[in-house]
Amino acid sequence: MGRKVKNLKLMMKNIAEDIKTVLEFYQAMGIERIPLNTIQDTGYKTQDKKSHASCILHHASALNSQQKRDALQALRDEIGDCQRCKLSKGRKNIVFGEGSVDAEIMFIGEGPGEDEDLQGRPFVGKAGQLLTKLIEKMGFKREDVYIGNIVKCRPPGNRDPEEDEISACSPFIKKQADIISPKVVVSLGRVSTQTLIGVKIPIGKLRGKFYQFENIPLMPTFHPSYLLRNPKDKWLVWEDAQKVLEKIKE
Ligand code: SF4
């Protein structure tokens, strides 16, 4: 009996320490009010630094612009000089992603190409110019939206990223989406769409309809590289873009 009470006391002490640490963390982030169920939902454990990071991310929508910038910088620091997959071997630059932290729309492609690898920026080659035109046609400037990729290093010869590379890298773009909390994610092409919604259906069948990605509506559409090869399908992408514009007005 005495041992049971001792264990119970120890458990209560650990819980109290966990709660204290979570509250100190929120205070440090400048968050003064927390809904009661927030702490229950975090799954935070003092021993687990990753839980600490996910604690930030699960509540990213409560973050202001500066806090989002800080969280993105913390994520970039966590990625560091990443060697988590074999794409690290041939890359010149890690292409983290760029754009407004308050973006209403986030575009996610599959991976950097040659120009992107050289410049360290997403969608700056020919396909990127087409994406920029689409963004402008939708009534935004490129810097109003956020643009990233499923993998952050260039696959050799612009091949598709492989499963192990996607598994190693895709948690980062998912965290970026959590931090930015856009109104809509637009997934560009098969790899991005299948990774984010977790299905293996061809992009031609998936595009044009909304799916749910981490509580964010996601619209799949064709990758701009595909449109460079198949310009006749540009109107389909424009149709998808119009649905996105309607969605962000809701
Ligand atoms: S692709 Fe992603 S996981 Fe792989 S080395 Fe680059 S940053 Fe790291």
Side-chain angles (χ1 to χ4, degrees), residues 76 79-89 91 93-95 112 150-154 164-172:
R76 181 64 190 88
I79 293 170
D81 181 26
C82 186
Q83 313 284 326
R84 291 171 179 84
C85 83
K86 57 188 181 296
L87 292 181
S88 61
K89 297 201 168 53
R91 71 157 184 251
N93 284 294
I94 291 177
V95 180
I150 294 293
V151 295
K152 300 193 183 303
C153 302
R154 183 191 178 201
D164 58 321
E165 297 155 358
I166 291 172
S167 303
C169 205
S170 59
F172 298 130

Side-chain angles (χ1 to χ4, degrees), residues 83-129:
Q83 313 284 326
R84 291 171 179 84
C85 83
K86 57 188 181 296
L87 292 181
S88 61
K89 297 201 168 53
R91 71 157 184 251
K92 295 201 167 46
N93 284 294
I94 291 177
V95 180
F96 180 70
E98 66 181 25
S100 168
V101 293
D102 298 314
E104 291 185 309
I105 307 174
M106 181 167 177
F107 292 88
I108 303 181
E110 70 179 51
E114 188 179 11
D115 295 311
E116 290 76 15
D117 181 44
L118 285 173
Q119 294 187 41
R121 298 179 57 212
F123 283 94
V124 288
K126 277 193 184 147
Q129 286 160 20

